[in-house]
Coordinates of all heavy atoms in Angstrom, one line a residue:
K11 N -2.1 0.9 23.2 CA -1.9 -0.4 22.8 C -0.4 -0.7 22.7 O 0.4 0.1 22.2 CB -2.5 -0.6 21.4 CG -2.3 -2.0 20.8 CD -1.2 -2.0 19.7 CE -0.8 -3.4 19.4 NZ 0.2 -3.4 18.3
Y12 N 0.0 -1.9 23.3 CA 1.4 -2.2 23.3 C 1.6 -3.5 22.5 O 0.9 -4.5 22.7 CB 2.0 -2.4 24.7 CG 2.0 -1.1 25.4 CD1 0.9 -0.7 26.2 CD2 3.1 -0.3 25.4 CE1 0.9 0.5 26.8 CE2 3.2 0.9 26.1 CZ 2.1 1.3 26.8 OH 2.1 2.5 27.4
G13 N 2.5 -3.5 21.4 CA 2.7 -4.7 20.6 C 3.6 -5.7 21.2 O 4.1 -5.5 22.3
G14 N 3.7 -6.8 20.4 CA 4.5 -8.0 20.9 C 5.8 -7.7 21.5 O 6.2 -8.1 22.6
T15 N 6.6 -6.9 20.7 CA 8.0 -6.7 21.2 C 8.0 -5.8 22.5 O 8.8 -6.0 23.4 CB 8.8 -5.9 20.1 OG1 8.3 -6.3 18.9 CG2 10.3 -6.3 20.2
S16 N 7.0 -4.9 22.5 CA 7.0 -4.0 23.7 C 6.6 -4.7 25.0 O 6.9 -4.2 26.1 CB 5.9 -2.9 23.4 OG 6.2 -2.2 22.3
S45 N -0.7 -7.1 23.0 CA -0.6 -8.3 22.1 C 0.0 -9.4 22.9 O 0.5 -9.2 24.0 CB 0.4 -7.9 20.9 OG -0.1 -7.0 20.1
D160 N -4.1 -3.8 16.9 CA -4.2 -2.4 16.6 C -5.7 -2.1 16.4 O -6.2 -1.1 16.8 CB -3.5 -2.1 15.3 CG -2.0 -2.3 15.3 OD1 -1.4 -2.3 16.4 OD2 -1.4 -2.5 14.2
Y178 N 1.8 1.8 20.8 CA 3.2 1.8 21.1 C 3.8 0.6 20.5 O 3.3 -0.5 20.5 CB 3.3 1.7 22.6 CG 3.1 3.0 23.3 CD1 1.8 3.3 23.8 CD2 4.1 4.0 23.5 CE1 1.5 4.5 24.4 CE2 3.8 5.2 24.1 CZ 2.5 5.4 24.6 OH 2.3 6.6 25.1
T179 N 5.0 0.8 19.8 CA 5.6 -0.3 19.1 C 7.1 -0.2 19.2 O 7.6 0.5 20.0 CB 5.1 -0.3 17.6 OG1 5.6 -1.4 16.9 CG2 5.4 1.0 16.9
D180 N 7.8 -1.0 18.3 CA 9.3 -1.1 18.4 C 10.0 -0.2 17.5 O 11.2 -0.3 17.3 CB 9.7 -2.5 18.3 CG 9.3 -3.1 16.9 OD1 8.6 -2.4 16.1 OD2 9.6 -4.3 16.6
V181 N 9.3 0.7 16.8 CA 9.9 1.8 15.9 C 9.5 3.1 16.4 O 8.5 3.2 17.1 CB 9.6 1.5 14.5 CG1 10.5 0.4 13.9 CG2 8.1 1.3 14.2
G183 N 7.8 5.4 15.2 CA 6.5 5.9 14.7 C 6.4 5.3 13.3 O 6.9 4.2 13.0
I184 N 5.6 6.0 12.4 CA 5.5 5.5 11.0 C 6.7 6.2 10.3 O 6.9 7.4 10.3 CB 4.2 5.9 10.5 CG1 3.0 5.3 11.3 CG2 4.1 5.5 9.0 CD1 1.7 5.9 11.1
L185 N 7.4 5.3 9.6 CA 8.6 5.8 8.9 C 8.3 5.8 7.4 O 7.3 5.2 6.9 CB 9.8 5.0 9.2 CG 10.2 4.7 10.6 CD1 11.5 4.0 10.7 CD2 10.3 6.0 11.4
T186 N 9.2 6.4 6.6 CA 9.0 6.5 5.1 C 8.9 5.1 4.5 O 8.4 4.9 3.4 CB 10.1 7.3 4.5 OG1 11.3 6.9 5.0 CG2 9.9 8.8 4.7
T187 N 9.6 4.1 5.2 CA 9.4 2.7 4.8 C 9.9 1.8 5.9 O 10.3 2.4 7.0 CB 10.2 2.4 3.4 OG1 9.7 1.1 2.9 CG2 11.7 2.3 3.6
D188 N 9.9 0.5 5.7 CA 10.3 -0.4 6.8 C 11.8 -0.2 7.1 O 12.6 -0.5 6.2 CB 10.0 -1.8 6.3 CG 10.2 -2.8 7.4 OD1 10.8 -2.5 8.4 OD2 9.6 -3.9 7.4
P189 N 12.1 0.2 8.3 CA 13.5 0.4 8.6 C 14.4 -0.8 8.6 O 15.6 -0.8 8.5 CB 13.5 1.1 10.0 CG 12.2 0.6 10.6 CD 11.2 0.5 9.4
R190 N 13.7 -2.0 8.7 CA 14.5 -3.2 8.6 C 15.0 -3.5 7.2 O 16.0 -4.2 7.1 CB 13.6 -4.4 9.0 CG 13.3 -4.4 10.5 CD 12.5 -5.6 10.9 NE 11.6 -5.2 12.0 CZ 11.0 -6.0 12.8 NH1 11.1 -7.3 12.6 NH2 10.3 -5.6 13.8
M198 N 8.0 10.1 10.0 CA 7.1 11.1 9.5 C 6.3 11.7 10.7 O 5.8 10.9 11.5 CB 6.0 10.5 8.7 CG 6.4 9.7 7.5 SD 4.9 9.1 6.7 CE 5.5 7.7 5.9
L209 N -0.8 2.8 2.5 CA 0.5 2.2 2.9 C 0.3 0.9 3.7 O 1.0 0.0 3.5 CB 1.3 3.3 3.8 CG 2.3 4.2 3.1 CD1 3.0 5.0 4.2 CD2 3.3 3.4 2.3
G213 N 1.5 -3.1 2.6 CA 2.6 -3.9 3.2 C 3.3 -3.2 4.4 O 4.2 -3.8 4.9
A214 N 2.9 -2.0 4.7 CA 3.6 -1.3 5.9 C 2.9 -1.9 7.1 O 1.9 -1.5 7.5 CB 3.5 0.2 5.8
K215 N 3.6 -2.9 7.7 CA 3.0 -3.7 8.8 C 2.8 -2.9 10.1 O 2.2 -3.4 11.0 CB 3.9 -4.9 9.0 CG 3.8 -5.7 10.2 CD 4.7 -6.9 10.1 CE 4.6 -7.7 11.4 NZ 5.9 -8.0 12.0
V216 N 3.3 -1.7 10.2 CA 3.3 -1.0 11.4 C 1.9 -0.7 12.0 O 1.7 -0.6 13.2 CB 4.2 0.3 11.3 CG1 3.6 1.3 10.2 CG2 4.3 1.1 12.6
L217 N 0.9 -0.6 11.1 CA -0.5 -0.5 11.6 C -1.3 -1.5 10.8 O -1.2 -1.6 9.6 CB -1.0 0.9 11.3 CG -0.8 2.0 12.3 CD1 -1.5 3.3 11.9 CD2 -1.4 1.5 13.7
V448 N 7.0 4.5 1.0 CA 7.2 3.4 0.1 C 7.0 2.1 0.8 O 7.4 2.0 2.0 CB 8.6 3.4 -0.5 CG1 8.8 2.5 -1.6 CG2 9.1 4.8 -0.8
Ligands
ADP703 P1 3.9 -4.5 17.0 O1 4.3 -5.9 17.6 O2 4.2 -3.4 17.9 O3 2.4 -4.5 16.6 P2 4.7 -4.9 14.3 O4 5.9 -5.8 14.1 O5 3.3 -5.4 14.0 O6 4.8 -4.3 15.8 O7 5.0 -3.5 13.4 C1 6.1 -2.8 13.6 C2 7.1 -3.1 12.5 O8 6.6 -2.7 11.3 C3 8.4 -2.4 12.6 O9 9.3 -3.1 13.4 C4 8.9 -2.4 11.2 O10 9.8 -3.4 10.9 C5 7.7 -2.6 10.4 N1 7.3 -1.6 9.4 C6 7.0 -1.8 8.1 N2 6.8 -0.7 7.4 C7 7.0 0.3 8.3 C8 6.9 1.7 8.2 N3 6.6 2.4 7.1 N4 7.1 2.5 9.4 C9 7.5 1.8 10.5 N5 7.6 0.5 10.6 C10 7.3 -0.3 9.6

Side-chain angles (χ1 to χ4, degrees):
K11 178 257 168 178
Y12 293 89
T15 333
S16 300
S45 292
D160 300 334
Y178 285 92
T179 183
D180 58 358
V181 281
I184 300 164
L185 310 186
T186 46
T187 194
D188 189 342
R190 288 183 211 196
M198 306 178 203
L209 265 187
K215 163 172 180 231
V216 61
L217 270 184
V448 191

